[in-house]
Amino acid sequence: MNGNLTCYACLMNFTAKSKWLLCCGLLGASSVALGAIASHALPDARAASAVSLAAMYQLLHTVAILALLSFAAKWAAFARLVMLIGIIGFSGAIYAKYLFGLAAIGALAPLGGSLLILSWLIVAAGAFMSAAPRQ
């Protein structure tokens, strides 16, 4: 009985950071799975290459989101959000195009990539603002 209460208490303590960790766990697992699909199940070399690249970018940016969880600043929270949307836009568009045949959605990949670039610029700006002397 006490174990059930403990489990319930864990669910009640599901913080914003826990939600990001859950999201990153799912993104990380799916990127590995999609990378495996690219390597072993896609007969078209161009599709395999594109999906492999999307999975790599997804995993790389998932690790970056995890690293950004160690910063409490507003810029870090904003960078995480932009990075997540960028992952969905870039990698998701490539998956839609090559795995589901939705070429029109594939055209959104540059927008997702631009958001990934923006997220890194937010990180750089946040580091610059944090290092600037306070007066």
Side-chain angles (χ1 to χ4, degrees):
M1 183 174 215
N2 190 19
N4 289 339
L5 291 175
T6 304
C7 183
Y8 180 71
C10 289
L11 291 175
M12 295 302 293
N13 194 22
F14 197 66
T15 64
K17 192 170 189 176
S18 299
K19 292 174 187 172
W20 277 106
L21 289 172
L22 173 64
C23 180
C24 287
L26 294 173
L27 285 169
S30 63
S31 68
V32 173
L34 288 160
I37 288 169
S39 294
H40 304 292
L42 293 178
D44 178 34
R46 182 174 176 162
S49 177
V51 171
S52 180
L53 178 70
M56 182 188 66
Y57 269 62
Q58 180 178 333
L59 186 58
L60 171 74
H61 288 88
T62 298
V63 172
I65 290 172
L66 286 170
L68 286 169
L69 285 171
S70 64
F71 296 92
K74 289 181 183 179
W75 63 262
F78 186 53
R80 285 193 312 262
L81 181 61
V82 172
M83 204 170 277
L84 175 61
I85 295 168
I87 290 169
I88 294 167
F90 179 75
S91 296
I94 292 172
Y95 301 146
K97 179 177 180 178
Y98 290 104
L99 297 177
F100 302 112
L102 303 171
I105 294 176
L108 296 175
L111 176 61
S114 296
L115 289 172
L116 292 174
I117 294 167
L118 176 61
S119 70
W120 287 107
L121 293 173
I122 293 167
V123 170
F128 180 76
M129 291 184 309
S130 297
R134 305 261 192 256
Q135 292 187 4

